[in-house]
């Protein structure tokens, strides 16, 4: 039986990347309680099939609901691309029609039309997100005149996860993918970082990005979108507890997660291990 008492806002990611989303949200909405869950034991999700990503994401959302969350943000582009709609349409009515699960692709799609002047936009993301064409579909629903090009960056997540984002070796992989997407469409003037790990590579991305091309990370736009969502949906907002706390769960080694999480959050964190049930 799910609790009806107010609870924290849940943030889910396959690993560490969703911490950039959590950080952005807490900067804007520090008064709420947050519960972050990283499925680090089964990361990365990018190369996995739609069915597997859906099943893993469904398990994580169910866990966050069991722990008192009424609202869960999929702070993972792959989960947003491959699992969000099925969970919203199929699982939520079975679990609790009053609870909500939101993704992070739509908020970026909503703002991109106001950011691009050339109407040519690039997306750098995981293989799964690029293959799903979720960004292209969402953007062109709202802005049909925008041309969207995407390139997968399979080595970027491991660079971040293994703390190699500042290493000289990262330069090769970052430059290679930026050069590739700019060859694909030289008219691009906005580049969406369609994976929540990628802001940790920002110094190298800016180093190799052509002059005049704007980088669009997701954290601030997701936070703005969440703030507007809570203002419009008072019945959900009232179920979000306000204690300005944040707790962290991982399916992997808590000590390893703690070390990495502190790089993202710029503060000490306490982490507990959890198991996701099938």
């Amino acid at each position: 039986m799910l609790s009806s008492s107010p609870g924290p806002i849940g943030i889910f990611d396959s690993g560490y990347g969703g911490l950039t989303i959590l950080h952005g949200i807490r900067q804007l909405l520090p008064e709420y309680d947050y519960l972050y869950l990283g499925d680090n034991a089964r990361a990365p999700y990018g190369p996995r099939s739609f069915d597997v990503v859906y099943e893993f994401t469904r398990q994580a959302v169910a866990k966050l609901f069991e722990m008192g969350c009424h609202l869960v943000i999929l702070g993972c582009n792959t989960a947003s691309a491959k699992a969000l709609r099925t969970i919203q349409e199929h699982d939520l009515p079975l679990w609790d029609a009053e609870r909500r699960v939101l993704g992070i692709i739509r908020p970026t799609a909503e703002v991109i039309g106001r950011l691009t002047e050339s109407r040519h936009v690039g997306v750098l993301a995981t293989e799964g997100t690029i293959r799903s064409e979720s960004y292209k579909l969402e953007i062109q629903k709202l802005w049909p005149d925008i041309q969207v090009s995407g390139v997968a960056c399979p080595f970027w997540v491991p660079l971040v996860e293994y703390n190699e984002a500042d290493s000289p070796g990262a330069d090769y992989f970052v430059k290679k993918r930026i050069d590739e997407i700019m060859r694909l469409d030289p008219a691009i003037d906005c580049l969406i970082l369609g994976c929540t790990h990628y802001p940790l590579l920002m110094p190298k991305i800016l180093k190799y990005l052509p002059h005049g091309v704007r980088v669009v990370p997701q954290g601030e736009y997701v936070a703005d979108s969440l703030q507007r969502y809570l203002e419009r949906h008072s019945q959900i907002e009232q179920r979000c507890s306000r204690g300005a706390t944040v707790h962290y769960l991982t399916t992997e080694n808590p000590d390893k997660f703690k070390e990495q999480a502190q790089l993202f959050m710029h503060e000490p964190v306490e982490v507990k291990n959890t198991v996701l049930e099938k």
Side-chain angles (χ1 to χ4, degrees):
M1 184 74 177
L2 297 177
S3 171
S4 59
S5 302
I9 296 173
I11 312 283
F12 167 67
D13 184 52
S14 60
Y16 303 107
L19 293 167
T20 61
I21 299 297
L22 173 60
H23 181 71
I25 291 173
R26 286 181 69 211
Q27 292 291 106
L28 186 64
L29 302 167
E31 67 271 25
Y32 294 99
D33 295 314
Y34 297 95
L35 178 59
Y36 183 92
L37 170 56
D39 188 13
N40 302 77
R42 301 188 293 196
Y45 279 17
R48 295 185 182 273
S49 70
F50 273 75
D51 289 344
V52 169
V53 171
Y54 160 66
E55 181 57 28
F56 288 178
T57 305
R58 187 192 64 78
Q59 293 167 13
V61 172
K63 170 65 73 172
L64 288 167
F65 282 169
E66 288 171 14
M67 300 193 73
C69 299
H70 294 265
L71 172 64
V72 172
I73 313 294
L74 301 185
C76 171
N77 284 274
T78 303
S80 295
K82 293 184 173 182
L84 176 62
R85 181 165 296 182
T86 305
I87 288 174
Q88 287 175 332
E89 295 178 355
H90 178 265
D91 295 297
L92 276 181
L94 299 175
W95 287 333
D96 183 346
E98 299 301 313
R99 296 184 189 240
R100 295 291 181 268
V101 181
L102 305 176
I104 59 173
I105 293 175
R106 177 85 180 188
T108 312
E110 288 174 346
V111 300
I112 199 66
R114 300 195 295 272
L115 302 178
T116 174
E117 294 181 5
S118 70
R119 317 309 281 175
H120 290 251
V121 170
V123 180
L124 297 177
T126 65
E127 180 184 349
T129 299
I130 294 299
R131 201 177 329 118
S132 74
E133 295 195 325
S134 294
Y135 272 97
K136 183 175 183 178
L137 293 169
E138 286 294 332
I139 290 171
Q140 292 186 338
K141 277 183 202 172
L142 301 167
W143 315 98
D145 62 317
I146 293 180
Q147 182 171 320
V148 182
S149 302
V151 164
C153 306
F155 293 103
W156 286 23
V157 169
L159 286 171
V160 173
E161 295 268 337
Y162 289 99
N163 205 21
E164 295 291 328
D166 295 325
S167 70
D171 287 71
Y172 170 80
F173 294 105
V174 171
K175 183 178 187 300
K176 180 178 182 180
R177 299 309 177 189
I178 288 176
D179 288 349
E180 182 179 347
I181 199 161
M182 295 312 299
R183 281 196 305 270
L184 199 59
D185 184 357
I188 287 170
D189 71 347
C190 283
L191 189 61
I192 295 171
L193 302 185
C195 174
T196 51
H197 285 70
Y198 295 177
L200 274 292
L201 291 162
M202 189 67 79
K204 296 196 185 298
I205 292 170
L206 294 174
K207 179 178 177 180
Y208 296 110
L209 202 63
H211 178 73
V213 179
R214 178 174 185 165
V215 182
V216 183
Q218 296 175 292
E220 63 183 281
Y221 301 114
V222 172
D224 288 340
S225 179
L226 177 59
Q227 183 180 49
R228 294 194 304 273
Y229 181 88
L230 293 174
E231 288 170 354
R232 294 194 311 270
H233 299 85
S234 59
Q235 76 280 14
I236 297 295
E237 195 278 336
Q238 291 165 9
R239 297 191 184 106
C240 299
S241 56
R242 292 168 173 255
T245 66
V246 58
H247 294 93
Y248 300 88
L249 299 171
T250 177
T251 57
E252 241 268 12
N253 185 316
D255 292 332
K256 180 183 176 184
F257 184 95
K258 180 177 180 178
E259 181 181 341
Q260 290 292 323
Q262 289 173 169
L263 297 175
F264 285 82
M265 302 308 293
H266 314 293
E267 66 183 15
V269 304
E270 293 301 323
V271 188
K272 292 183 178 180
N273 181 259
T274 191
V275 176
L276 298 182
E277 298 175 2
K278 296 182 179 178

